[in-house]
Amino acid sequence: MTPEQADAELAAVHPRDAAQAALREVLRERLARFPGHGGSGSGGSFAGSALDRDGTSEHLTTTAFVFERSGRRTALVAHRRLGMWLQPGGHLEPGDASFAAAARREAAEETGLGGLLELALGGMPLDVQRHELATSYGRCTAHLDVAHVFVVPDGSPLVVSEESEGLAWFAVDDLPDGTAPDLPPRLALASALLRA
């Protein structure tokens, strides 16, 4: 995925409110400002762009909200470095064809659900978010995150990865202590959309 392709994906998103619209424009501005070593208008390469984890202090990332098909339970990862429960997700890689493809790859790596993951909500992102990072992350100060929703059959077994301290299914209305503060309303929204 190039910065131009990423921008086209974001341009196609219909934000649900003014705050989401403003944040989407922050992500698009970042892509325009850091197009990669290929330069703007020439297909800009991934390296050095706002998609590259080593390219800028604030770069785009991807998230996967993984739900059982019923929409009642979600898979959360105990993040080793942050010490909290989060949705699967991470950095984009040069071979990722889209934000959704990157989110699927991250979810497969972190949950072991692989081929069971089915993109939901018509393939459109649930939302975009900006996450400030602790100083322990070095030069990286924020993640600008694009979130997609996936479903799997109810009761699908999870396989924890080496990156995480734990992995489990949780009811959306009964999340564990230590859940990231912005997560409950986002999960509630995703669950409601899945069950609508």
Side-chain angles (χ1 to χ4, degrees):
M1 179 167 58
T2 66
E4 288 83 359
Q5 291 168 324
D7 183 64
E9 280 193 48
L10 290 171
V13 172
H14 300 289
R16 69 178 173 277
D17 57 33
Q20 280 289 296
L23 191 51
R24 179 190 68 171
E25 293 313 306
V26 169
L27 273 68
R28 294 187 71 200
E29 183 279 330
R30 197 78 184 163
L31 286 165
R33 189 168 165 207
F34 298 96
H37 300 312
S40 181
S42 64
S45 72
F46 185 93
S49 75
L51 301 174
D52 182 0
R53 73 187 303 166
D54 298 320
T56 69
S57 61
E58 295 185 14
H59 48 267
L60 279 67
T61 56
T62 187
T63 282
F65 288 109
V66 179
F67 284 85
E68 289 182 324
R69 194 170 305 285
S70 65
R72 291 175 178 25
R73 292 198 314 165
T74 188
L76 296 181
V77 175
H79 194 282
R80 188 179 311 279
R81 193 167 187 183
L82 295 176
M84 63 177 66
W85 289 94
L86 298 169
Q87 71 278 14
H91 293 94
L92 293 123
E93 295 182 359
D96 292 327
S98 64
F99 286 111
R104 182 189 308 273
R105 175 185 49 74
E106 287 287 339
E109 290 171 3
E110 295 182 31
T111 67
L113 292 169
L116 298 176
L117 293 160
E118 179 183 323
L119 186 60
L121 307 183
M124 295 304 292
L126 173 70
D127 63 14
V128 292
Q129 293 287 321
R130 184 176 196 276
H131 301 286
E132 300 289 336
L133 299 174
T135 55
S136 64
Y137 275 78
R139 68 180 293 273
C140 184
T141 60
H143 284 167
L144 304 169
D145 195 61
V146 180
H148 282 83
V149 176
F150 295 86
V151 294
V152 297
D154 287 18
S156 295
L158 298 170
V159 180
V160 67
S161 75
E162 294 178 4
E163 298 177 18
S164 307
E165 290 187 344
L167 171 68
W169 289 110
F170 293 99
V172 173
D173 58 359
D174 189 21
L175 299 173
D177 291 339
T179 297
D182 71 333
L183 205 49
R186 297 173 77 196
L187 288 170
L189 172 64
S191 177
L193 291 171
L194 286 173
R195 292 192 277 173

